[in-house]
């Protein structure tokens, strides 16, 4: 009995000593990691300072670059205006027919097939909201591809559009 109790005590002592030794060793490695991270941080701060210095040196050149930027902005505005006009001509206007007991999936698929929406699943998920799912009207609805999902849902449920 004494020998087993003595062996148990020695085991506990060795376990405690090994845990204390492990804690001391691991804290040394974390201190090494901290110093490595601090060195890395200092290097990054030096790089940032150098980049700021280079940026300040290039500021006198910014007057000429501003003129170039203005010219680029003007050409971009012209291109975007032309693209908007082209998009207006690409607007698809179709009629969706909704019959009694038609599923929301079918409505989304039909809108995608007609080119009104690019993703019928998105319309399906939006229409599955309780405020829309219970009030979808049956009938024929004229929809355009430039309408938002919210506007399409309002038309299909007979809600007033804002």
């Amino acid at each position: 009995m004494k020998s087993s109790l003595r062996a148990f005590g020695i085991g506990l002592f060795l376990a405690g000593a090994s845990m204390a030794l492990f804690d001391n060793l691991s804290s040394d490695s974390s201190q090494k990691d901290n110093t490595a991270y601090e060195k890395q941080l200092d290097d990054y701060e030096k790089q940032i300072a150098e980049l700021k210095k280079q940026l300040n040196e290039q500021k006198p050149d910014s007057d000429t670059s501003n003129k170039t930027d203005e010219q680029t902005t003007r050409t971009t505005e012209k291109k975007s205006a032309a693209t908007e006009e082209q998009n207006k001509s690409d607007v698809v206007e179709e009629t969706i027919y909704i019959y009694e007991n038609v599923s929301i999936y079918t409505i989304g698929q039909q809108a995608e097939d007609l080119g009104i929406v690019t993703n019928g699943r998105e319309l399906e998920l939006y229409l599955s909201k309780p405020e829309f799912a219970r009030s979808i009207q049956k009938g024929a609805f004229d929809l355009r591809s430039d309408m938002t999902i919210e506007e399409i849902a309002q038309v299909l449920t007979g809600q007033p559009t804002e």
Side-chain angles (χ1 to χ4, degrees):
M1 180 74 180
K2 282 186 179 182
S3 63
S4 61
L5 188 59
R6 190 177 301 149
F8 182 70
I10 292 172
L12 288 176
F13 176 74
L14 289 175
S18 63
M19 289 176 70
L21 182 64
F22 180 74
D23 285 341
N24 285 338
L25 290 178
S26 65
S27 67
D28 289 340
S29 64
S30 66
Q31 288 175 353
K32 291 176 185 176
D33 289 343
N34 285 343
T35 56
Y37 289 137
E38 288 174 1
K39 182 180 177 189
Q40 215 174 17
L41 181 65
D42 290 337
D43 291 341
Y44 288 143
E45 288 174 349
K46 288 177 186 176
Q47 288 177 354
I48 290 171
E50 289 175 17
L51 291 174
K52 285 182 180 179
K53 182 179 174 185
Q54 290 175 0
L55 184 64
N56 288 335
E57 289 173 358
Q58 292 179 355
K59 283 215 177 179
D61 297 338
S62 67
D63 293 336
T64 57
S65 66
N66 283 342
K67 292 177 184 176
T68 307
D69 289 343
E70 288 175 11
Q71 291 173 350
T72 305
T73 305
R74 288 181 193 143
T75 56
T76 305
E77 289 173 355
K78 290 177 184 176
K79 288 179 184 178
S80 65
T83 305
E84 286 178 16
E85 289 176 14
Q86 185 179 20
N87 286 343
K88 287 181 182 178
S89 64
D90 292 341
V91 172
V92 176
E93 187 170 341
E94 292 289 337
T95 301
I96 287 187
Y97 298 96
I98 299 178
Y99 301 102
E100 192 171 343
N101 297 327
V102 69
S103 69
I104 296 173
Y105 170 78
T106 306
I107 297 170
Q109 191 64 40
Q110 188 178 7
E112 184 176 349
D113 291 343
L114 292 173
I116 297 169
V117 293
T118 56
N119 187 355
R121 181 81 171 136
E122 184 179 358
L123 178 62
E124 176 190 347
L125 291 173
Y126 193 80
L127 288 174
S128 66
K129 291 182 176 181
E131 61 264 20
F132 298 117
R134 295 187 185 117
S135 59
I136 294 176
Q137 305 292 315
K138 59 183 176 180
F141 300 95
D142 294 325
L143 301 175
R144 296 182 317 276
S145 61
D146 63 344
M147 296 173 78
T148 65
I149 297 293
E150 294 85 9
E151 292 172 335
I152 293 172
Q154 289 174 341
V155 168
L156 295 177
T157 57
Q159 295 178 359
T161 56
E162 297 173 1

